[in-house]
Amino acid sequence: KGLPPFGKALGKRRPYEIRLADGFRIPPVRACTPQDEVYANFDALIRAGDRGGPTAVLDQRASLLRIVSKLLQASAPRQETDDRRNLARVQRAMSHMAAHLAQPLDAEQLAEIAGLSRVHFTRLFREHTGYTPMLYLRRLRVEAARQWLADVELSIKEIAVRCGFDDPYHFSKVFHQLDGLPPSIYREALLAGKKA
């Protein structure tokens, strides 16, 4: 009942093989009970088709997406656990960077803090942030410098040291690369904006 003509002989058809990215697999057989979300969404899919109307197609697509989502979630608990664990490792390294901006840090140390090899850590870090660990650290340091530049009591040299740069020239060069202007000009613009 409620199936289109091509769906009436579904029991006689051979099963399709669906290949999904990232190793996801939908189990070939799954028992559904009326208490199951997949069952409820499948029922909603059929009811939307029977009901018709301008929103029926959208309701059917939404139900179908929920069904596929539930099937994928059920098939990938290990993948989700690994993703959470990897994200926690990357976040541990990010927190360490933020707490130790002034200290010299390298990818090897950060990988050790994350509990991973340097190569694996660098790959995971880039997946989660879009940056290599050292480029992220550089951006984090420049972001902190932007805040400290608002304090006229601090010299550029002091800010450079607080941000983990060896000398003001290197700090100025990196700041200019990332922000498009030297820290002294940034400070002037920042202070002029506060006066206005």
Side-chain angles (χ1 to χ4, degrees):
K1 178 183 179 218
L3 288 175
F6 64 85
K8 300 221 188 264
L10 285 177
K12 297 178 185 167
R13 293 185 180 196
R14 291 180 31 182
Y16 291 96
E17 180 180 353
I18 300 172
R19 294 183 185 177
L20 303 166
D22 296 328
F24 282 113
R25 293 183 174 271
I26 294 176
V29 176
R30 180 188 160 112
C32 284
T33 64
Q35 293 77 27
D36 192 346
E37 280 187 67
V38 172
Y39 182 95
N41 282 301
F42 190 72
D43 187 48
L45 175 98
I46 302 234
R47 278 188 282 115
D50 287 344
R51 183 184 71 238
T55 61
V57 172
L58 290 174
D59 291 340
Q60 287 178 310
R61 287 182 182 172
S63 295
L64 185 58
L65 285 173
R66 284 192 292 271
I67 290 168
V68 170
S69 174
K70 285 295 168 193
L71 291 173
L72 289 175
Q73 287 172 10
S75 70
R78 186 177 184 276
Q79 177 72 32
E80 290 175 11
T81 302
D82 288 348
D83 286 347
R84 277 195 298 265
R85 187 178 303 126
N86 289 336
L87 178 60
R89 289 174 170 170
V90 167
Q91 287 174 335
R92 190 178 327 140
M94 291 167 70
S95 296
H96 185 82
M97 287 181 207
H100 300 91
L101 281 180
Q103 296 178 359
L105 296 170
D106 61 31
E108 196 68 45
Q109 290 172 306
L110 295 169
E112 190 174 315
I113 288 162
L116 298 165
S117 72
R118 188 183 57 75
V119 172
H120 190 58
F121 170 68
T122 300
R123 183 181 58 77
L124 284 175
F125 196 93
R126 186 182 299 226
E127 282 177 18
H128 287 282
T129 66
Y131 300 106
T132 64
M134 300 318 292
L135 183 55
Y136 180 86
L137 177 61
R138 188 178 300 166
R139 289 180 165 278
L140 198 61
R141 286 175 167 164
V142 167
E143 186 178 312
R146 281 190 215 109
Q147 294 173 6
W148 283 325
L149 283 167
D151 184 354
V152 291
E153 301 290 320
L154 296 173
S155 69
I156 300 290
K157 184 177 182 178
E158 288 173 313
I159 293 170
V161 170
R162 285 185 179 199
C163 294
F165 291 96
D166 295 335
D167 61 81
Y169 173 76
H170 184 237
F171 165 63
S172 184
K173 182 180 172 187
V174 170
F175 194 97
H176 191 260
Q177 284 174 343
L178 293 179
D179 267 19
L181 59 153
S184 56
I185 304 294
Y186 181 88
R187 173 179 263 174
E188 287 174 19
L190 190 65
L191 295 176
K194 282 187 173 182
K195 289 178 187 176

